[in-house]
Amino acid sequence: MKMNNEIRALVLELDRKQRVTIDKIDNVNARIDSISDEIREIILLCNDVKSALN
């Protein structure tokens, strides 16, 4: 019975760590999306400036 409790505790801890890891990955992905949006805006601005200079 003690072994089952230890295994259950380990499984719960692994599940918690997995959820934390997934949350961190989701946060990183959101930041990447945000940076990508900013890069697209910068490219558009650069293209506008380039057109104005030509």
Side-chain angles (χ1 to χ4, degrees), residues 17-39:
K17 287 182 178 183
Q18 181 183 23
R19 278 186 268 119
V20 168
T21 300
I22 289 170
D23 287 345
K24 288 180 180 179
I25 290 170
D26 288 344
N27 288 339
V28 169
N29 285 336
R31 282 189 280 174
I32 289 170
D33 289 344
S34 176
I35 291 168
S36 294
D37 290 343
E38 290 180 30
I39 289 171

Side-chain angles (χ1 to χ4, degrees), residues 2 5-6 9 13-14 16-17 20 22 24 30-32 35 38 42-43 45-48 50 52:
K2 182 180 178 185
N5 290 339
E6 290 174 0
E13 180 64 13
L14 284 172
R16 184 193 68 76
K17 287 182 178 183
V20 168
I22 289 170
K24 288 180 180 179
R31 282 189 280 174
I32 289 170
I35 291 168
E38 290 180 30
I42 291 168
I43 290 170
L45 288 171
C46 288
N47 287 338
D48 289 346
K50 186 178 175 182

Side-chain angles (χ1 to χ4, degrees), residues 1-9:
M1 195 65 147
K2 182 180 178 185
M3 180 70 101
N4 285 342
N5 290 339
E6 290 174 0
I7 291 171
R8 188 173 295 120

